[in-house]
Every structure is written in C-alpha cells, then in structure tokens.
Amino acid sequence: GMVLTHLKVQAGECIAVKGMVPPDAKSFALNMGRAGSDLALHFNPRFESHGDAHIIICNSLQAGEWGEEQREPDFPFQPGQDAKICISFDTQELTVALPGEQQLKFPNRLGLEAIEFFSVEGDFRVK
Ligand SMILES: C=CCO[C@@H]1O[C@H](CO)[C@@H](O[C@@H]2O[C@H](CO)[C@H](O)[C@H](OCc3cn(Cc4cccc(/C=C/CN=C(N)N)c4)nn3)[C@H]2O)[C@H](O)[C@H]1NC(C)=O
C-alpha cells in the first residue's frame, strides 16, 4: 500500500485519510510513527482475520517488537463503503476520529513528538 516518509506532523495537527473498503475486505492497517519498525500506532480493523471478526486492533511496535494489543469493540466500517479516518496526537495519546462521530484513543507509548512515517496496508483503497 501507500507509504509516506519524511513527514513532520506535529502534535495538535491531524492526518485525514479517505478511502474505500472493498466488498471482500478482510483487514486493513494504518501505521504511523518514526518508521515501519517504530510505530506509535498500528490501527488494524479486522473484518475477518486472525480469528477476529469486526474488531479494531490497536498496537505499538518498538524496534520491531509488538506491544500489548488494545481491542476496540466499536466497529464503524462497512465493506463496500467509503470511510474517513482522522488521526491527531499529543505526547500522551493518539486520537482516531472514526466514521459516525466515533473516536478511539491509544496511549503514545513512544512519547512521539512528530509523526514522520505513515503507511496504509491491506483492504483500504486510499482516495
Ligand atoms: C491468539 C494467538 C496469539 O495472539 C495473536 O498473536 C498474533 C501475532 O502476534 C496477533 O496478530 C498480530 O497482531 C499485530 C498487532 O498486535 C499485527 O496486526 C500483526 O500483523 C502485522 C502485519 C501487518 N501486515 C500488513 C497487512 C496489514 C493488514 C492487512 C493486510 C492484507 C490484507 C489482505 N487482504 C485480503 N486477503 N483480502 C496486510 N501484515 N502483518 C498480527 O500478525 C493477533 O492479534 C493475536 N490475537 C489475539 C487474540 O491476541
């Protein structure tokens, strides 16, 4: 999928991504942090994947090691539908604005002060 590097997204700014979830979607991920192996947030909605159905997995990745998963029951994604996701952060936490005015928060375990890396993987067709 799409990989953006050398960004300088500061605390208080937000990244907005709009895309389409294909009808046969199984899973997609938005990753953000310093680099692919140093993620403040791996945001992974699973429609049907890893034995999970209709759940959002959030996690961090530090030097290639996964942290403890946060599993979100609110699942405002529909296969075949457009979705807009806006991520903002401060040194304490990241906030993900979801479709349908829903929001989820994830601790900024890396204490990141700027997002330099952003990638989209799997079943999400960025518009
Ligand atoms: C119960 C057994 C032990 O516990 C499990 O242990 C697994 C391994 O640690 C965790 O899984 C891992 O969880 C991590 C977050 O914590 C990452 O998500 C990681 O994936 C990394 C990764 C990313 N990517 C690229 C990507 C991302 C999204 C979609 C696609 C492609 C879609 C294709 N589309 C089709 N075919 N239509 C590709 N690949 N791997 C996943 O392997 C499970 O959650 C966990 N389950 C529970 C209940 O605890």
Side-chain angles (χ1 to χ4, degrees), residues 51-103:
D52 290 307
H54 288 196
I55 190 157
I56 299 174
I57 308 295
C58 291
N59 206 345
S60 55
L61 186 66
Q62 292 182 263
E65 295 289 319
W66 290 110
E68 187 181 336
E69 292 187 347
Q70 193 170 288
R71 306 180 136 246
E72 308 287 340
D74 296 339
F75 194 84
F77 299 107
Q78 291 276 339
Q81 301 268 318
D82 279 7
K84 183 180 172 189
I85 301 159
C86 297
I87 300 107
S88 57
F89 74 102
D90 60 29
T91 53
Q92 302 302 313
E93 65 188 3
L94 295 104
T95 302
V96 184
L98 297 165
E101 312 301 313
Q102 295 189 50
Q103 204 179 57

Side-chain angles (χ1 to χ4, degrees), residues 22 24-31 42-46 48-52 57-60 66-71 120-123:
D24 60 349
K26 296 271 187 297
S27 167
F28 71 88
L30 306 183
N31 302 300
H42 166 77
F43 171 84
N44 176 212
R46 295 180 184 174
E48 184 202 328
S49 161
H50 285 86
D52 290 307
I57 308 295
C58 291
N59 206 345
S60 55
W66 290 110
E68 187 181 336
E69 292 187 347
Q70 193 170 288
R71 306 180 136 246
V120 180
E121 298 174 308
D123 305 316

